[in-house]
Amino acid sequence: MPETACAIQRQVAPAGDPSPQTCLQVARQAAILAVTAADEAMTAVCHSRAGAAARLEAVMHAAHKEAVAAEKWADRAEEYADDPTMPNSALLYCAREAVDHAVRAQSAVGVETTGTDLRAELERKLTANEYAERETERRREEAEREAEERAVTGMDQENRDQAARNRYLAEGHVAELGWTAGHVRVLEAAESGRLYWRDGQARQAARHGVWNGGRRISRERTEALFAARFLVVVPQEDGTRLLTPTPMGQAALELARLHPAGLHNSDRAAYESRFARVRRRHKRRDDQKSAARVLPPLDSSARKLYRKPLMLTEQQARAERDAVDGWEDEGGYCPGTDTPRPAAGPAARPAVRIILPLHRHTAVQGALW
C-alpha cells in the first residue's frame, strides 16, 4: 500500500514505538488469523456429530464474532493511516485491539494462539539505529513531498497554509459583502492602476497615464465602493482623480476571487441580501432601505487574518532586494573584508508607498466630484 505508507509518514512516532507500517501489518495479520480460526470452527460444525453440534456452534459463533471485530480494527487502522492528522498512537491502538480479538478467536476454537507473537512484535522496542534509520527515511520522504508541493503550487508550506486559511475566510465573508461580479470588475480595474474619475463618470484608461477616454465603468458601483472605503482617490497633477483599492478593498477583492460562489447573481439579489442583514438594526422601513443601499465593510476579523501568500519567486526577489539594501546600509565595500557585493543587474525601482490617513470616526468618504 504505497499511498498508505506515504500518508502515515507525516506523523513522528516516539522513540521505541513500532512504526506505522508495523502496526498496519500486525493489524492485518491479526485479522487473517482470526478469520482462519473462525473458518476452522465452521468446518468443525459441518463435520460434527449430533451430540457435539450445539457446543461447536457456540464456538463457531464466538470465533466469528471475534473475527469480525479483528477485521474492523484492521480496516480502521488503514483508514487512520490515510488521515495525516491522526497520531501514530491511533494505529498502535487499532493493532493491539485486532491482536486481542485474534487471540480470543484462537482460544475459543482451541487452536494454537499464534496471535501472541504479533503482540510481542508490537511491544518490541526499536534500537537507536532503527529509530535513526526511520527518521532519516521520514525526512527524505518529507523533503520529496515538499519539493513536489512547491513545484505544483509555487509556494512553501507556510504560504500554502496561509492560502488555505484565506480560502476558509473567503467562504465565510464574501457573501456578507453583498457584492455582484460587477463590484469585482470595478476593483480589478482599480487594481490595474487605470481606473479614473472625470466629469462624473468612472472609466478604465486604455493605458496608464492617459486619462482620456477608455472603457466606461459602472458609476453606481464605483460610488458605492468608494463610499464604503474599498476605493480611495489619488489626485493627479492634471486634476484627474485616480481610484485605487484601499488595503481593505484589496483584501476583499482577493477573497472574492477565492470564493466567487459568494457573489450574488444580480444587483437586486445583492440588495436583498444587504437588506436582510440591516432590517433588525433599523425600525423604520425607509431607514432599512437606506442602510441596504450602503455596502458594508469587510469584517474586521477577516481584515486581521487575511494575508496574501507569497510565491517562491516573490520571496526570492524580496530576499535579493533586502540583500542589496543591507549591503548599502552597511556602507558598501570595506577594505580588508570579504563581504561580496551582490551581482550587478538592472536597478529595481523602489516601490512608493502612499499612506493615507484614516479617521476613526468618519463613516464615509467625501463625494467623488
Side-chain angles (χ1 to χ4, degrees), residues 52-365:
R55 179 182 63 81
L56 293 177
E57 283 184 3
V59 170
M60 178 187 69
H61 289 304
H64 177 73
K65 179 180 178 181
E66 298 298 335
V68 170
E71 285 192 311
K72 180 192 73 173
W73 285 109
D75 293 340
R76 186 171 297 179
E78 293 178 355
E79 292 176 5
Y80 288 170
D82 290 331
D83 187 352
T85 63
M86 281 290 176
N88 286 315
S89 57
L91 295 179
L92 180 58
Y93 179 82
C94 292
R96 285 173 174 168
E97 288 293 322
V99 169
D100 289 342
H101 286 289
V103 171
R104 285 197 286 268
Q106 290 179 325
S107 298
V109 177
V111 298
E112 182 182 0
T113 54
T114 56
T116 55
D117 297 335
L118 297 177
R119 185 178 293 157
E121 183 66 19
L122 291 177
E123 295 173 355
R124 186 180 71 85
K125 299 300 181 181
L126 294 177
T127 65
N129 289 337
E130 289 175 332
Y131 181 75
E133 290 176 0
R134 188 205 301 177
E135 285 297 291
T136 300
E137 180 65 17
R138 181 186 64 81
R139 293 191 182 109
R140 184 189 64 79
E141 292 184 355
E142 283 186 349
E144 290 179 352
R145 286 194 300 272
E146 178 65 17
E148 292 174 358
E149 291 286 347
R150 291 189 176 205
V152 173
T153 64
M155 292 183 287
D156 59 17
Q157 180 66 53
E158 180 180 354
N159 285 280
R160 292 198 302 272
D161 291 343
Q162 182 61 53
R165 289 191 291 269
N166 289 345
R167 289 191 294 272
Y168 177 79
L169 286 175
E171 292 175 359
H173 295 284
V174 170
E176 296 178 355
L177 293 172
W179 285 9
T180 64
H183 294 92
V184 174
R185 288 194 294 269
V186 173
L187 277 172
E188 287 178 339
E191 184 186 39
S192 70
R194 295 183 284 121
L195 180 63
Y196 71 98
W197 184 273
R198 176 175 285 180
D199 299 330
Q201 178 61 51
R203 293 179 180 272
Q204 185 176 7
R207 60 180 183 274
H208 191 275
V210 180
W211 312 123
N212 187 15
R215 183 166 62 91
R216 283 176 175 264
I217 300 296
S218 171
R219 169 176 175 165
E220 292 75 14
R221 295 191 184 102
T222 303
E223 289 178 333
L225 290 168
F226 174 79
R229 293 188 178 275
F230 292 106
L231 292 173
V232 68
V233 168
V234 180
Q236 304 298 296
E237 294 179 356
D238 61 355
T240 302
R241 294 174 176 269
L242 180 65
L243 293 167
T244 61
T246 62
M248 180 178 68
Q250 188 65 49
L253 173 60
E254 297 292 345
L255 292 176
R257 286 168 171 166
L258 290 174
H259 187 58
L263 301 174
H264 298 280
N265 296 328
S266 64
D267 290 327
R268 181 65 183 176
Y271 171 81
E272 291 176 352
S273 173
R274 297 194 298 269
F275 185 86
R277 293 190 61 198
V278 302
R279 62 185 308 174
R280 296 182 180 178
R281 299 200 301 264
H282 302 276
K283 295 182 179 180
R284 296 178 64 248
R285 186 74 172 182
D286 291 342
D287 293 341
Q288 294 175 1
K289 292 180 178 180
S290 298
R293 296 189 190 101
V294 178
L295 296 179
L298 180 63
D299 187 86
S300 59
S301 62
R303 277 180 274 172
K304 292 177 182 177
L305 296 175
Y306 175 80
R307 294 289 184 276
K308 183 178 180 179
L310 292 178
M311 306 297 288
L312 292 171
T313 53
E314 295 174 319
Q315 290 179 304
Q316 182 179 359
R318 176 178 294 184
E320 292 174 355
R321 288 196 301 269
D322 292 344
V324 172
D325 294 341
W327 186 83
E328 292 176 351
D329 291 342
E330 293 171 1
Y333 174 72
C334 295
T337 64
D338 297 329
T339 304
R341 180 166 183 169
R349 186 175 181 180
V352 178
R353 298 183 63 190
I354 300 176
I355 301 177
L356 300 171
L358 297 178
H359 302 284
R360 182 177 179 182
H361 300 291
T362 302
V364 295
Q365 304 185 74

